Amino acid sequence: MMRKLWNDGWQFVKLPLGSAYEDMKRADMTPVTLPHDWLIAQTDDLYESGDGWYRKTLQNADLDDCVLLDFDGVYMDADVLLNGEVIRTHRYGYTPFYAELTGKLKAGENEIAVHIRHQSPNSRWYSGAGIYRDVFLVTLPAYHMVLDGFQVNTERWGNGWRLLAEAELCGGGEEMPRAALKTLAGDVIKEESMEPSAGGARLNWELDGIEPWSVEHPALYKLCMTLGRQTEEITVGFRETVFTPDRGFFLNGRHVKLHGVCLHHDLGALGAAFYRDAARRQLRVMREMGVNAIRTSHNPPARELLELCDEMGFLVMDELYDMWELPKTEFDNARFFPITYPEDVASWVRRDRCHPSVILWSIGNEIYDMQASERGQYWTKTLMDEVRRHDTRHAPVTFA
């Protein structure tokens, strides 16, 4: 398995709304490096409507393997084209998605293009526009572990901890992955083959000598799972969370007061393009203010933000939407919500459900539907059911 950061070597051009692939082919394009927010440089019009086109060449892909592109965030209403043909459409600008290239590539050179339709107004804040988070090129063997098919949960067990993990398998093989829990220094704590389960593999380990994950001491481990040529590493923090109606939140049996802030996805003057060092500085300043909890207002964050929260000991309310069926602005995600919500929930929860920092799933913020009619109750139940389809124990569901 090969997972390659694919941020270099792109070209970009901005065209009027309604442009076509042929218009992009005729246009003069500018080299860019991802992540890229094309709006932030336009200080006289940070909310301009327009089409953004990105293009890159994929050379000599292995036609015998599974090949896909992993997009962590594209804002918004995007098509991915392979050699001029649309192979993937993704509407919501904040959830990750995969573009499957397997069986569609030709020998030699292939052209990847991304077409983004940005219409304003679409948010109550600065959204940015473009491929503003990382892109990875992933190559997998035919029989493999599904990239977003992992679940990791922990619970206290006597004086130790229990680790429960699952991996979805695809491709029809019989071999089970081999798992190893390691310290960050690489020392192996336990290693053995996983057991077969419905649709995949699982483990249930009872462990002693584990340092728990907490706000003050966010101890982390690595769970490495290997199947043939594929190895995946999941960051593990051993923690147990409990919410009570009368006494509040408990982390590992200890009462913790949440001193939280709402954090939008942009990085101020840097725009919406995500930069790990800038986000780390942002979190460091908040920690100095006394903050220990983050609400990702009002959408799923970059994958790397949650990695930083795992590492730095922040508790996270991971939020999905600012609107459902009823819009707040003319061109916001309400246009797509009734059709795309199952995909949005799945990609959001399946990407984030292993992070020890995530303690709550928030399905919405100040949603008009909740006050307008009984449809709000319908959508609340529907979205809660969708979350629980993909996570039954890592974090409870709430609403902001």
Side-chain angles (χ1 to χ4, degrees):
M1 194 278 280
M2 181 180 71
R3 182 178 180 86
K4 177 184 178 183
L5 186 64
W6 221 51
N7 285 351
D8 296 333
W10 290 86
Q11 294 181 303
F12 171 77
V13 66
K14 181 181 67 177
L15 295 173
L17 278 173
S19 63
Y21 174 76
E22 291 74 19
D23 300 319
M24 182 271 289
K25 294 289 282 186
R26 290 192 295 266
D28 293 328
M29 305 190 77
T30 302
V32 295
T33 298
L34 307 181
H36 180 245
D37 171 10
W38 87 68
L39 285 179
I40 193 62
Q42 303 173 180
T43 54
D44 58 339
D45 190 359
L46 290 173
Y47 302 92
E48 178 188 21
S49 294
D51 283 357
W53 286 89
Y54 295 83
R55 183 173 64 188
K56 181 172 178 173
T57 300
L58 173 59
Q59 298 276 10
N60 301 319
D62 192 332
L63 304 185
D64 296 326
D65 281 336
C66 300
V67 183
L68 52 88
L69 292 173
D70 177 0
F71 292 88
D72 197 41
V74 179
Y75 200 89
M76 59 178 297
D77 190 10
D79 290 333
V80 179
L81 297 85
L82 174 62
N83 299 322
E85 299 293 328
V86 176
I87 60 168
R88 182 72 160 90
T89 297
H90 188 77
R91 305 294 188 185
Y92 192 35
Y94 295 110
T95 44
F97 65 96
Y98 298 109
E100 182 67 64
L101 307 181
T102 308
K104 305 180 179 75
L105 295 166
K106 62 184 181 181
E109 187 174 287
N110 291 268
E111 180 197 65
I112 304 295
V114 180
H115 178 202
I116 299 166
R117 294 167 284 267
H118 181 264
Q119 298 183 75
S120 288
N122 58 58
S123 297
R124 299 181 300 112
W125 53 80
Y126 176 77
S127 65
I131 308 178
Y132 69 106
R133 295 176 183 166
D134 286 341
V135 179
F136 288 88
L137 176 66
V138 183
T139 304
L140 296 164
Y143 178 49
H144 60 267
M145 296 177 284
V146 178
L147 291 179
D148 63 353
F150 301 99
Q151 293 192 66
V152 175
N153 290 289
T154 59
E155 60 187 26
R156 289 189 294 173
W157 163 76
N159 294 322
W161 286 86
R162 180 176 282 116
L163 173 64
L164 304 104
E166 298 180 22
E168 293 179 20
L169 304 179
C170 178
E174 296 183 359
E175 180 186 357
M176 288 293 104
R178 189 159 184 84
L181 182 67
K182 301 179 181 181
T183 66
L184 296 188
D187 299 325
V188 176
I189 297 170
K190 183 168 183 174
E191 180 176 8
E192 65 183 34
S193 294
M194 300 177 73
E195 300 175 354
S197 65
R202 66 184 177 188
L203 62 81
N204 184 338
W205 290 350
E206 295 173 347
L207 303 163
D208 293 313
I210 294 294
E211 183 179 356
W213 185 93
S214 67
V215 172
E216 298 81 9
H217 302 287
L220 295 174
Y221 298 82
K222 291 290 185 182
L223 180 62
C224 303
M225 289 170 276
T226 299
L227 181 64
R229 292 183 285 125
Q230 180 187 10
T231 296
E232 301 291 344
E233 279 193 356
I234 306 295
T235 298
V236 178
F238 287 81
R239 59 41 156 196
E240 186 176 73
T241 64
V242 175
F243 286 89
T244 65
D246 56 342
R247 299 179 62 202
F249 173 68
F250 290 80
L251 178 64
N252 305 330
R254 185 174 66 88
H255 183 262
V256 175
K257 195 77 170 179
L258 301 182
H259 300 283
V261 297
C262 294
L263 182 64
H264 281 266
H265 73 292
D266 68 279
L267 292 167
L270 298 179
F274 187 85
Y275 300 104
R276 192 182 186 99
D277 288 346
R280 183 187 295 277
R281 174 192 174 276
Q282 201 174 47
L283 291 174
R284 186 175 65 247
V285 170
M286 291 184 183
R287 176 53 54 83
E288 292 168 357
M289 293 166 49
V291 171
N292 67 1
I294 299 293
R295 173 183 167 203
T296 65
S297 310
H298 300 290
N299 42 260
R303 178 187 287 115
E304 290 177 283
L305 183 78
L306 294 181
E307 293 173 357
L308 288 171
C309 289
D310 293 342
E311 173 191 329
M312 299 174 72
F314 284 90
L315 303 163
V316 177
M317 177 192 291
D318 197 343
E319 196 153 78
L320 178 60
Y321 286 130
D322 189 52
M323 75 293 296
W324 294 346
E325 271 190 317
L326 300 181
K328 294 181 178 178
T329 57
E330 184 176 0
F331 298 109
D332 64 26
N333 192 65
R335 293 179 291 161
F336 311 120
F337 168 80
I339 302 299
T340 63
Y341 75 87
E343 175 189 344
D344 294 339
V345 172
S347 61
W348 166 55
V349 174
R350 288 169 66 89
R351 186 196 67 174
D352 296 351
R353 64 189 175 185
C354 295
H355 287 279
S357 57
V358 174
I359 62 168
L360 287 167
W361 304 115
S362 171
I363 55 175
N365 165 68
E366 299 172 357
I367 299 294
Y368 289 166
D369 311 57
M370 295 290 284
Q371 296 96 39
S373 72
E374 292 185 359
R375 290 285 288 175
Q377 297 181 36
Y378 165 79
W379 282 118
T380 300
K381 183 180 185 306
T382 298
L383 289 170
M384 290 177 68
D385 289 344
E386 286 295 321
V387 172
R388 289 167 178 156
R389 185 190 305 273
H390 304 287
D391 172 47
T392 57
R393 61 184 302 164
H394 187 78
V397 183
T398 189
F399 175 89

